[in-house]
Structure formats: structure tokens, C-alpha cells
């Protein structure tokens, strides 16, 4: 069962219109009819504790569609169960998350118009995207918003082994104070030359800066979206 919504370019909002693909158990929310052909598509996965309707996910989709990039948001199966039952539960094992993510990539490719496609995600979702990237033939590159380099307070438990040999382009957008990997920590890691890391000044794991920093969450999200759009546009024919 897929649960995804497509944010088309030049659309101000998402209609409350559900459509299903016969036999596939798909529930997709499509945008208004006033759309243009996107230059690219980004399939964006959510973090561990909040699904596709989280403010961060919706704000990022809104920012990117204004840059002529179509955005597909989706919920992993465990999040679908959380939404249906109202009860919190931990994420599934990585193997199940990766299988669903990969199946969704194929579903979108088979049912939607063909455009250059990227994958990405927030925190856990971003990590899953990086783990799929090199083996996903149709995917050009990936964007990770707040990569979880290690669990908070456990810097010795790194999740970077596959990042050392990554061959496809990856953009990591990271808050300088992110407890899953601060700027000082990440700067010391041995990462593939295919990876670019950009930091949000004084930002935490959600990119939120402290008030005294003079920055705001809103401007950081705008900055992250612009960096994402620039990264994508540099890798497609526009």
C-alpha cells in the first residue's frame, strides 16, 4: 500500500482529491490542474517521528514547486499504521524501509510522466535515500536534510560507511548544532568526493536556530530549498 501525494509545479495548494491505481492499493493526492512541466522530480521521505504532513515536509514541497521542481511526499508503512491507529510506533527495520522506498520510486516512474528524478529525505528518510542512491539506476542524485551521522550523544556509532564510497552526487544540508552530527564533527569525517555538505548557521536537527543568533527557521528552510533547487538544476538540462 502506497500513501503519497504529488505537489506539482505552479500549484498553490493540494486539492482534497484522492485517486487510486486499480489493483495497486495506491492513494495519491494530486494538485490542481494549473500545472506546468517540471524540470525535475524529488521523491522526499519523512523522518522517524513525523510523516509527510509535517510542517517541514509541506514547507519544503511548497518552496521547491515554486522552483519548478515536482515533489512527491509519502508515508512509510509504519507511519501509515500510526496515522490509522493514532498510536506511536518505532520505524521498521532499514531493509523494510528501503524496500518500500524503492518500490515507490518504481511506482512513480511507471505511473507518472518521465522527468529527471532525485530522491531525498529528512533525517532517517535522508539516510534511506543515501543507502538507495548508487543502486537506483533511474535516480540522478539525492538530498539529505539533517543527516543522522550518529545517535545523539553517541558520536562513536557512526552511520557513514556507505558515504565514504558513494559515487552519485549527494547534497547534505546540516544544522551547525545538529546533535546527530555537528559542523565540527562532520568536517572531520572521511566522505566521498561526490558529497557536498552545506551548513545552516546555528541550526539544530530541524534547522531551528537560537533566537539570539539573528537567524530564523523560516529563512533557513528557504535557504535549504534554494540550495536543493540549485543542486538539482545544476544536474539537469534546463
Amino acid at each position: 500500500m502506497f500513501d503519497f501525494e504529488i505537489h506539482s509545479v505552479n500549484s498553490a495548494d493540494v486539492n482534497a482529491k484522492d485517486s487510486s491505481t486499480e489493483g495497486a492499493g495506491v492513494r495519491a493526492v494530486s494538485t490542481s490542474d494549473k500545472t506546468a512541466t517540471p524540470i525535475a522530480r524529488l521523491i522526499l521521505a519523512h523522518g522517524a517521528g513525523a510523516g509527510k504532513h509535517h510542517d517541514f515536509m509541506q514547507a519544503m514541497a511548497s518552496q521547491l514547486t515554486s522552483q519548478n521542481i515536482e515533489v512527491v511526499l509519502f508515508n512509510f508503512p509504519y507511519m501509515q499504521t500510526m496515522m490509522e491507529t493514532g498510536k506511536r510506533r518505532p520505524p521498521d527495520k532499514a531493509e523494510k524501509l528501503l524496500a518500500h522506498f524503492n518500490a515507490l520510486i518504481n511506482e512513480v516512474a511507471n505511473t507518472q510522466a518521465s522527468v529527471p528524478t532525485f530522491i531525498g529525505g529528512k533525517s532517517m528518510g535522508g539516510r534511506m535515500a543515501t543507502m538507495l542512491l548508487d543502486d537506483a539506476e533511474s535516480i540522478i542524485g539525492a538530498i539529505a536534510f539533517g543527516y543522522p551521522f550518529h545517535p545523539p550523544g553517541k558520536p562513536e556509532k557512526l552511520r557513514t560507511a556507505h558515504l565514504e564510497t558513494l559515487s552519485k552526487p549527494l547534497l547534505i544540508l546540516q544544522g551547525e548544532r545538529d546533535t546527530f552530527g555537528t559542523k565540527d564533527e562532520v568536517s572531520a569525517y572521511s566522505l566521498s568526493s561526490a558529497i557536498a555538505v552545506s551548513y545552516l548557521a546555528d541550526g539544530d536537527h530541524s534547522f531551528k536556530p537560537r533566537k539570539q543568533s539573528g537567524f530564523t527557521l523560516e529563512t533557513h528552510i528557504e535557504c535549504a530549498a534554494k540550495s536543493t533547487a540549485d543542486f538539482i538544476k545544476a544536474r539537469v538540462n534546463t
Side-chain angles (χ1 to χ4, degrees), residues 62-107:
S62 177
Q63 291 282 333
L64 291 174
T65 55
S66 71
Q67 295 287 327
N68 209 24
I69 298 167
E70 179 184 283
V71 179
V72 178
L73 304 180
F74 70 96
N75 281 334
F76 285 111
Y78 82 92
M79 184 59 65
Q80 296 178 37
T81 300
M82 282 177 56
M83 296 296 99
E84 292 167 0
T85 63
K87 297 179 180 179
R88 295 190 64 83
R89 57 179 294 165
D92 294 314
K93 298 292 185 181
E95 291 78 7
K96 187 172 182 178
L97 297 175
L98 291 170
H100 186 82
F101 203 160
N102 190 56
L104 180 73
I105 292 171
N106 292 331
E107 175 69 21

Side-chain angles (χ1 to χ4, degrees), residues 112-135:
Q112 305 300 317
S114 178
V115 296
T117 302
F118 295 73
I119 55 177
K122 179 70 179 76
S123 192
M124 178 199 75
R127 183 185 176 212
M128 294 302 108
T130 67
M131 294 171 72
L132 281 177
L133 180 56
D134 271 352
D135 293 328

Side-chain angles (χ1 to χ4, degrees), residues 209-224:
R210 291 168 292 194
K211 186 174 182 180
Q212 63 267 31
S213 71
F215 299 98
T216 67
L217 176 59
E218 290 73 23
T219 56
H220 275 359
I221 289 178
E222 290 174 5
C223 180

Side-chain angles (χ1 to χ4, degrees), residues 149-151 154-159:
F149 287 96
H150 60 73
K154 299 179 180 179
E156 73 282 359
K157 294 188 176 182
L158 289 177
R159 300 159 174 160

